[in-house]
């Protein structure tokens, strides 16, 4: 069975705090792909990152960074110095070999000024 | 052009109406998707078209009927819907066929209310 778990349903932080969103996945595939998407209140899902199972290098893009650890089946997302515009629902997803995206339940991040 | 567009943005329809949702992309993408999203839930896959052919139907009721007239356009025809079908309907596209490991690009969605 394939599954993505985002244990944090809601997180609230004050602007400029760092925040980490957790993602744990389950799959028996040896090749798989992991994604993070952001869904602001406007509704559109915005692609943030794709990572394949062979590439465990961490990635940094501006204030965003991702930590992929196959040993713990985790793909966590950290926002440094959070801003109000980061307020959104964040989804972690796993793509199976059939091409279907399996989403976690999402983490609603609220950044207060 | 790097976006997926969806029309209309909002739709209110009665249970006996027939309506259609439209999705368009001009990025040359070869896979297109329909998702349904209820409040506070992740998107649920409904249909996938790969190279203009229906490749996945996630056991969606026949009152939803997809159509892919060409590689840039995807429609979702609605007929005799139920109030529980009220949701945000999202369209997405990705560069290669549905099984290729590429990110999906989403449109802004159509917020559907069935009365």
């Amino acid at each position: 069975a394939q599954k993505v778990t985002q244990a944090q349903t809601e997180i609230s932080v004050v602007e400029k705090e760092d925040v980490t969103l957790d993602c744990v996945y389950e799959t028996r595939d040896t090749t798989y792909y992991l994604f993070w998407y952001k869904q602001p209140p406007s509704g559109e899902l915005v692609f943030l990152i794709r990572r394949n199972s062979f590439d465990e290098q961490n990635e940094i893009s501006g204030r965003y960074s991702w930590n992929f650890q196959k040993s713990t089946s985790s793909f966590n997302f950290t926002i440094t110095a959070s801003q109000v515009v980061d307020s959104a629902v964040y989804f972690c997803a796993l793509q199976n070999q059939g091409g279907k995206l399996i989403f976690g339940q999402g983490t609603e991040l609220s950044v207060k000024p | 052009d790097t976006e997926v567009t969806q029309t209309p943005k909002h739709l209110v329809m009665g249970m006996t109406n027939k309506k259609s949702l439209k999705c368009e992309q001009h990025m040359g993408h070869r896979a297109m998707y329909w998702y349904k999203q209820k409040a506070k839930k992740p998107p649920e896959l409904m249909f996938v078209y790969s190279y203009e052919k229906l490749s996945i139907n996630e056991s969606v009721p026949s009152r939803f009927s997809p159509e892919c007239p060409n590689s840039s356009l995807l429609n979702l025809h609605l007929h005799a819907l139920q109030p529980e079908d009220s949701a945000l309907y999202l369209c997405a596209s990705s560069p290669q066929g549905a099984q290729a490991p590429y990110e999906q690009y989403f449109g802004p969605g159509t917020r559907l209310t069935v009365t």
Side-chain angles (χ1 to χ4, degrees):
Chain A
Q2 297 179 311
K3 187 178 175 182
V4 175
T5 301
Q6 295 179 254
Q8 306 146 309
T9 307
E10 296 179 8
I11 300 176
S12 182
V13 299
V14 176
E15 212 170 16
K16 296 185 184 174
E17 282 186 33
D18 298 347
V19 58
T20 295
L21 310 182
D22 298 332
C23 173
V24 174
Y25 62 92
E26 295 174 31
T27 181
R28 291 184 180 174
D29 293 342
T30 53
T31 301
Y32 53 88
Y33 300 85
L34 296 164
F35 300 81
W36 275 96
Y37 284 87
K38 173 183 179 180
Q39 188 173 35
S42 58
E44 180 173 348
L45 271 85
V46 177
F47 164 74
L48 296 178
I49 190 171
R50 178 188 70 184
R51 175 65 71 215
N52 74 51
S53 52
F54 296 104
D55 183 1
E56 285 195 73
Q57 278 195 329
N58 292 330
E59 179 145 346
I60 298 175
S61 175
R63 296 183 297 107
Y64 294 171
S65 61
W66 290 269
N67 182 1
F68 176 32
Q69 291 199 344
K70 281 179 78 170
S71 60
T72 55
S73 297
S74 65
F75 186 40
N76 296 337
F77 172 32
T78 297
I79 302 174
T80 303
S82 59
Q83 299 177 1
V84 172
V85 293
D86 295 327
S87 297
V89 180
Y90 290 86
F91 290 101
C92 180
L94 168 71
Q95 184 177 21
N96 67 15
Q97 292 192 347
K100 181 178 174 180
L101 269 183
I102 298 160
F103 287 93
Q105 290 299 303
T107 297
E108 184 171 6
L109 174 65
S110 175
V111 181
K112 301 188 187 310
Chain B
D1 189 349
T2 57
E3 64 174 2
V4 176
T5 60
Q6 288 187 246
T7 53
K9 289 192 174 183
H10 300 274
L11 178 62
V12 180
M13 60 186 289
M15 290 190 284
T16 57
N17 290 160
K18 284 186 181 181
K19 296 285 185 185
S20 296
L21 309 185
K22 179 180 172 180
C23 173
E24 205 159 1
Q25 57 87 14
H26 295 287
M27 296 179 279
H29 287 181
R30 305 315 305 269
M32 295 185 77
Y33 308 76
W34 279 116
Y35 288 87
K36 172 183 177 180
Q37 187 179 24
K38 300 285 259 184
K40 304 280 190 184
K41 295 290 186 183
E44 297 174 35
L45 183 65
M46 300 175 72
F47 301 104
V48 182
Y49 274 83
S50 187
Y51 296 95
E52 300 169 47
K53 295 196 184 311
L54 184 64
S55 64
I56 297 178
N57 176 343
E58 289 284 296
S59 303
V60 178
S62 60
R63 58 185 184 269
F64 295 92
S65 174
E67 178 196 19
C68 187
N70 59 58
S71 59
S72 300
L73 190 56
L74 185 66
N75 298 320
L76 186 63
H77 303 297
L78 315 172
H79 173 54
L81 294 193
Q82 304 295 311
E84 59 265 28
D85 297 321
S86 298
L88 180 68
Y89 287 83
L90 293 162
C91 174
S93 69
S94 65
Q96 301 294 327
Q99 294 191 358
Y102 287 93
E103 55 273 19
Q104 294 178 24
Y105 294 86
F106 285 80
T110 292
R111 196 162 295 281
L112 173 67
T113 303
V114 182
T115 60

